[in-house]
Amino acid sequence: MKRFFTKLSFIDIVNVYSLWVVLGSFVTFCFFSKIFGVTPDYVAGAVLALSIWIIYTADHLFDGFKLKDQAISMRHKLHFEHRKILLPLILFGFIACLLLVFGMLSKQYFRLGWFLCILTLIHFIINLAISKKYKNRLFLKEVFIAAVVTLGFSILPLTATLVYNWMSNLSIVVIAFFLLNLSNLLLFSYFDFETDEKSNFLSAAHVYGKEIALYITRIAITVSIVLIVYLIYKQDLSLLGGIIIVLMNCILLHISIYPDKYKQKGLYRFWGDFIYVIPAIAIPFL
C-alpha cells in the first residue's frame, strides 16, 4: 500500500478513484436544492454520492477484470490490482447505502431513485450483452449517462416538493445542465480516444470522430451558456447560481480550446470533474 501512494500524484488518485465526481455529486445536489428553493436533504445527497462511487468503482473493476494484464489506463490497472481492497469496500458501501435508504431517507425520493437504478442497470446490461456493432448504431453512452446524471443531480432535489412549487422555466435549467454534463463526457471521449481504442471501448469520439466530438462539445457548451444567461436576464435564475453554472461551462470550454495543455498528466479529467465541486463556493450564499 505504501508503494501505491508513493507512485501516484494527487491528481492521479483523484482521477483513478473518481473523487471529484463523488464529492461533486453531493455538492451539486445541494446546489440545485438551493437554486430551486428547497432545503438540501443531506441524507439524499449522501445516498446519491455513495451510489455513484459504488457504480463508478464497480464499472472500473469490471473493466479491470475483463482486461486484466492487458489494461492500458491507470484507472483499470489500479482497480484490478487493488480488487481485494475495493470489493469489500463496495460491499460495505452498498450495505451503508441500504441502511441510509431504508432507515433515514424520505420515501418521496424512492420513485425517482428506483428509476435511476433501473436506468443504471440498463446501461450495464447494454454494455455487457450487446455487441459493439449494434451499440454503435443504437446506443450513445455519453447521452445516456448525461441524462442519468442530470436527473440525479438536478431533478432529484425536487422530488420532495410539490410540482406547483417548482420554478418557472425549470426545463431550460435542466436542458442547460444536461448540455454541461454531455460536454464533459464528450471531452473525455475525445481525450481517451486512443486508450479506448486499444481497450476496445466504444465512445462518441469513435462513432463520430475525435474532431466532430470536440466540435459538438463546443456547440453544447455555448448553447448551455446562452440558456443560463437568458434565465439570468429574465430573472428566472439567481445571479450567483447562474454565474456558477456559466463558470462550470467556461472551464470545459477552456479545456476544449486548449486540449494539448490538458492532455498532460490527466489534467482534462481532473478539471473536468472538478467543475461539480465548484458550486460549493456559492451554496452558503444562495
Side-chain angles (χ1 to χ4, degrees):
M1 209 55 181
K2 183 178 179 182
R3 179 173 61 87
F4 162 63
F5 278 108
T6 54
K7 280 192 172 184
L8 292 182
S9 67
F10 175 70
I11 292 176
D12 291 332
I13 294 172
V14 169
N15 288 350
V16 167
Y17 297 106
S18 308
L19 299 185
W20 282 158
V21 179
V22 176
L23 177 60
S25 62
F26 180 84
V27 169
T28 308
F29 173 88
C30 294
F31 172 71
F32 276 104
S33 297
K34 287 281 195 173
I35 281 181
F36 296 148
V38 180
T39 302
D41 188 324
Y42 299 119
V43 173
V47 170
L48 177 65
L50 189 55
S51 299
I52 285 175
W53 181 83
I54 292 170
I55 292 167
Y56 268 66
T57 305
D59 186 41
H60 300 327
L61 270 172
F62 174 80
D63 289 336
F65 273 109
K66 185 167 64 175
L67 297 169
K68 295 182 180 179
D69 295 334
Q70 296 180 343
I72 297 171
S73 73
M74 181 187 299
R75 173 177 294 185
H76 295 136
K77 284 181 179 178
L78 289 177
H79 274 76
F80 180 70
E81 181 181 340
H82 296 93
R83 60 192 180 278
K84 293 183 179 179
I85 298 173
L86 293 172
L87 283 171
L89 284 176
I90 287 177
L91 179 60
F92 176 78
F94 181 71
I95 293 172
C97 203
L98 288 178
L99 291 174
L100 287 172
V101 168
F102 295 106
M104 300 177 67
L105 186 66
S106 170
K107 291 183 179 179
Q108 293 170 305
Y109 293 102
F110 279 25
R111 182 176 297 180
L112 181 56
W114 287 119
F115 179 64
L116 290 174
C117 289
I118 292 171
L119 290 179
T120 303
L121 183 61
I122 290 172
H123 169 71
F124 276 106
I125 291 173
I126 291 173
N127 278 331
L128 292 174
I130 298 180
S131 68
K132 187 176 179 180
K133 174 184 176 182
Y134 293 106
K135 280 192 289 188
N136 196 338
R137 298 176 182 176
L138 303 172
F139 179 63
L140 192 59
K141 71 174 184 180
E142 286 81 6
V143 175
F144 192 89
I145 296 173
V148 173
V149 170
T150 301
L151 288 172
F153 288 18
S154 63
I155 298 299
L156 193 62
L158 288 172
T159 56
T161 65
L162 298 174
V163 174
Y164 62 76
N165 287 329
W166 292 7
M167 65 176 288
S168 60
N169 290 322
L170 172 66
S171 59
I172 298 179
V173 178
V174 173
I175 291 171
F177 187 58
F178 167 78
L179 292 173
L180 170 73
N181 295 324
L182 180 62
S183 302
N184 189 34
L185 294 166
L186 288 175
L187 274 178
F188 290 170
S189 76
Y190 170 85
F191 284 104
D192 291 337
F193 180 84
E194 288 79 12
T195 302
D196 287 343
E197 190 170 45
K198 292 176 182 177
S199 302
N200 199 32
F201 293 151
L202 185 67
S203 71
H206 292 93
V207 176
Y208 299 111
K210 283 183 65 176
E211 297 307 319
I212 292 178
L214 192 61
Y215 181 71
I216 295 172
T217 299
R218 291 169 180 165
I219 292 176
I221 292 170
T222 303
V223 173
S224 180
I225 292 174
V226 169
L227 290 176
I228 294 301
V229 171
Y230 168 77
L231 290 176
I232 294 174
Y233 173 75
K234 296 288 288 184
Q235 297 185 341
D236 288 333
L237 181 65
S238 69
L239 178 61
L240 180 56
I243 289 173
I244 291 296
I245 299 175
V246 169
L247 176 60
M248 295 166 73
N249 272 297
C250 286
I251 290 174
L252 295 183
L253 184 61
H254 195 268
I255 294 172
S256 73
I257 294 173
Y258 301 101
D260 292 339
K261 175 181 178 180
Y262 287 95
K263 181 73 174 178
Q264 304 171 24
K265 300 179 182 179
L267 288 175
Y268 68 92
R269 187 172 295 276
F270 182 86
W271 290 111
D273 284 339
F274 183 74
I275 65 170
Y276 296 107
V277 182
I278 289 176
I281 62 179
I283 290 174
F285 308 103
L286 289 171

